[in-house]
Every structure is written in C-alpha cells, then in structure tokens.
Amino acid sequence: MDMPPVADFQVGIVLIVVVLIALPVGAIVFARGAGGALSQIGKGPLALEQDFPQSSGAPVHEVSAEVREEEIRQMIQARSDRGVAKGREALDVDAEVEKLLASNTGGPGLAGDKGLREEVRQLVVARNERRQRQGKKPLDVEKEIERQLSELENLGQ
C-alpha cells in the first residue's frame, strides 16, 4: 500500500520549510557566537604577535661597590664549597673575586656579546615586519636592540 501523493508532498514541504527557517537562524546564531572567537585565534598572553611591554623608565638603582664585592664573594665561596663537596680542590676566593672585579669594571656587559646582539637584531627586525603588516609604525632597530639588551642586563635588579 502506497501513501497517497498528497502526504508525500506535505512531508516534503514541511521538511523544506524547516530547513529554510533553521538554516538562517543557525547561521545568525553561529556568526554572533563564533565571530568573537574567530578574531581571538592566535592571540593570548603567550602569543608572539603581541608587543613586549616597554620599560617603565624608572632608574635602575646602583649597588654600592662594597655590596657588589660581598655578593661576588658569596657566589665564589658557594661555588668553591660545591666543588669541595664533589671532591675538587677549593678555590682561592680572594683571588677569584679580584680577578672578576678587575675584568668587569663597567665593561660592555651583554651589549658586547655579538651573537646575542645579532639574535636580538633578528627578533627586532621580525617584530618590525609584523608591525608593518599590522599597519603600525616600525621601531628604531638600534634603539630597540639597546633597550632590550639593557633590560636583559637588569633582569635581576
């Protein structure tokens, strides 16, 4: 027994009407909910596209020579103690401190490391390219390299 053709026609129309109503409603709901999510893809606190915060501009506090020498002495003594615990010969702490103080009297620090400088340059150039693609003003490469190297030198202070 076949169904009359009128029943087929009504089920088909109902199906088409439901699809034609549900499709635009579903598209609107998706666009409203997913629109914000799509613009956030690749963003976040660990994303490389974000600019690094600029330094606060606050002056770095200088450490007195006595405090610096005492901290160096403590580090050399700790290194010597670890070496002795491992069976090595004890270091001459005073000679090591004098050697470090003589070789590091206001030297160039990280800025003198050519390999590190080149790495920072590559990062700054890549950041500038991203900034230009985003329509932002590019950074002065040399100033940005100096700023980042000085931030790296002052990390622990």
Side-chain angles (χ1 to χ4, degrees), residues 24-62:
V25 170
I28 291 170
V29 169
F30 176 76
R32 284 187 161 207
L38 287 175
S39 67
Q40 294 299 317
I41 291 176
K43 307 269 174 143
L46 300 177
L48 294 177
E49 290 291 324
Q50 296 200 355
D51 289 332
F52 292 104
Q54 300 296 318
S55 65
S56 63
V60 176
H61 299 289
E62 288 293 323

Side-chain angles (χ1 to χ4, degrees), residues 82-150:
R82 284 192 309 270
V84 168
K86 292 180 180 179
R88 295 188 201 129
E89 193 175 314
L91 296 173
D92 181 5
V93 176
D94 293 329
E96 291 289 324
V97 169
E98 291 304 318
K99 185 171 80 172
L100 281 174
L101 289 176
S103 69
N104 199 10
T105 55
L110 292 177
D113 185 349
K114 291 180 182 177
L116 179 62
R117 187 179 245 328
E118 182 56 33
E119 263 188 70
V120 172
R121 175 182 298 283
Q122 290 171 2
L123 290 173
V124 170
V125 168
R127 185 177 314 134
N128 268 347
E129 290 171 359
R130 282 193 304 274
R131 288 176 64 91
Q132 286 176 338
R133 283 193 306 266
Q134 295 170 352
K136 295 179 183 177
K137 187 177 102 180
L139 303 169
D140 179 10
V141 175
E142 292 303 318
K143 284 184 182 177
E144 185 65 12
I145 290 171
E146 292 302 323
R147 183 190 68 78
Q148 287 195 11
L149 287 175
S150 69

